């Protein structure tokens, strides 16, 4: 079974600064997806960024980028130029590719609460 | 385009009762997944439906069941509620393989 570990229960950052959230995972599969989701107080889970394991290039989405180290099974999220609206719980998640037939089952980490100070 | 809609948003039930939660996926999405979120256990996968068939099931007792209709809408049922079933239940939809999950706002279930 796959496991996802987020070792930082809480992190804080000053507005406009950069912060990195850590995530490690354990799997015996070679094909999979990794995600970062954000959950603000409104409760809705919002996709931040996605990484396919077969791609060596790190994914980026505007101010969000990942450092994907497949051999080390590490998948960290870097938020640049942090904004007050980035404050939320961030979840790292693993999804099996399983030949492309199943994508709805994700394994989530325990989450990291990010506080942004003005 | 309308997002994933979950109803109701809040629900209070008594131990021993049963409850049905509803999820309307994004138009065109055929996969619907359900998750339970609690402070202690975090986010746990319940089950996934694709084209009216259960494709995956998490490690939950048989009291938890679901179904998907021909229009992709899904319902989740919990029978004989226990206090430990109090949680945020999240529904997510996707087009299928290779596309990301889109989550609804969840249903907050409180069992007293």
């Amino acid at each position: 079974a796959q496991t996802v570990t987020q070792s930082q229960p809480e992190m804080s950052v000053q507005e406009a600064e950069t912060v990195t959230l850590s995530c490690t995972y354990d799997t015996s599969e070679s094909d999979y997806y990794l995600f970062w989701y954000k959950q603000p107080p409104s409760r809705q889970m919002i996709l931040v960024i996605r990484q396919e394991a077969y791609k060596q290039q790190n994914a980026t989405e505007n101010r969000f980028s990942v450092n994907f180290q497949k051999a080390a099974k590490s998948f960290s999220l870097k938020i640049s130029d942090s904004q007050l609206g980035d404050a939320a719980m961030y979840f790292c998640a693993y999804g099996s590719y399983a030949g492309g037939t199943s994508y709805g089952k994700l394994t989530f980490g325990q989450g990291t609460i990010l506080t942004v100070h003005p | 385009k309308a997002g994933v809609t979950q109803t109701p948003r809040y629900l209070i039930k008594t131990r021993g009762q049963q409850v049905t939660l509803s999820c309307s996926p994004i138009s065109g999405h055929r996969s619907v997944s359900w998750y339970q979120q609690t402070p202690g256990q975090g986010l746990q996968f319940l089950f996934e439906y694709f084209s009216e068939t259960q494709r995956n099931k998490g490690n939950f007792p048989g009291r938890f069941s679901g179904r998907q209709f021909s229009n992709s809408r899904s319902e989740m049922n919990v029978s004989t509620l226990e206090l430990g079933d109090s949680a945020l239940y999240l529904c997510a939809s996707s087009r299928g393989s290779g596309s990301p999950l889109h989550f609804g706002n969840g249903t907050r279930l409180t069992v007293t």
Side-chain angles (χ1 to χ4, degrees):
Chain A
Q2 295 79 28
T3 59
V4 177
T5 302
Q6 294 178 248
S7 58
Q8 306 154 317
E10 297 183 32
M11 291 285 284
S12 64
V13 63
Q14 291 293 131
E15 202 174 1
E17 297 292 305
T18 295
V19 64
T20 299
L21 308 184
S22 301
C23 172
T24 58
Y25 59 95
D26 189 27
T27 184
S28 57
E29 299 175 332
S30 57
D31 252 350
Y32 50 87
Y33 292 84
L34 295 166
F35 308 86
W36 280 98
Y37 277 90
K38 160 185 173 181
Q39 188 179 39
S42 66
R43 309 183 328 202
Q44 185 171 21
M45 298 281 282
I46 301 165
L47 177 68
V48 174
I49 200 164
R50 175 178 68 157
Q51 175 80 44
E52 292 92 336
Y54 66 88
K55 289 187 178 179
Q56 291 185 341
Q57 187 172 5
N58 290 324
T60 62
E61 284 288 340
N62 302 313
R63 298 181 295 107
F64 300 88
S65 62
V66 298
N67 183 3
F68 173 48
Q69 300 290 328
K70 191 173 184 179
K73 295 180 183 174
S74 169
F75 183 61
S76 61
L77 174 70
K78 185 171 84 170
I79 306 174
S80 305
D81 186 26
S82 295
Q83 300 176 359
L84 295 177
D86 295 333
M89 175 85 91
Y90 285 79
F91 291 95
C92 178
Y94 173 101
S96 292
Y97 184 68
T101 61
S102 179
Y103 203 74
K105 179 182 179 181
L106 297 183
T107 301
F108 286 88
Q110 287 296 97
T112 297
I113 299 172
L114 177 66
T115 302
V116 181
H117 299 288
Chain B
K1 200 175 194 181
V4 178
T5 303
Q6 289 188 248
T7 57
R9 289 215 63 187
Y10 300 92
L11 210 46
I12 300 175
K13 289 288 187 178
T14 303
R15 193 170 46 183
Q17 288 185 316
Q18 76 165 21
V19 68
T20 299
L21 312 182
S22 180
C23 173
S24 293
I26 291 172
S27 178
H29 286 194
R30 296 164 64 191
S31 168
V32 174
S33 301
W34 290 88
Y35 290 81
Q36 181 196 65
Q37 186 176 20
T38 59
Q41 299 298 317
L43 278 151
Q44 293 186 286
F45 171 77
L46 280 156
F47 26 66
E48 178 198 6
Y49 288 87
F50 186 87
S51 294
E52 302 179 65
T53 301
Q54 187 180 86
R55 195 156 65 172
N56 270 305
K57 190 177 191 305
N59 189 25
F60 278 82
R63 300 186 296 107
F64 291 80
S65 63
R67 58 178 176 168
Q68 187 180 33
F69 302 95
S70 59
N71 62 357
S72 293
R73 190 177 71 85
S74 177
E75 287 181 348
M76 187 192 112
N77 185 74
V78 187
S79 62
T80 320
L81 284 165
E82 300 176 359
L83 296 179
D85 297 333
S86 295
L88 179 66
Y89 290 89
L90 292 166
C91 169
S93 74
S94 77
R95 284 195 300 270
S97 61
S99 60
L101 297 188
H102 298 266
F103 285 83
N105 283 325
T107 294
R108 172 77 65 189
L109 172 64
T110 302
V111 182
T112 62

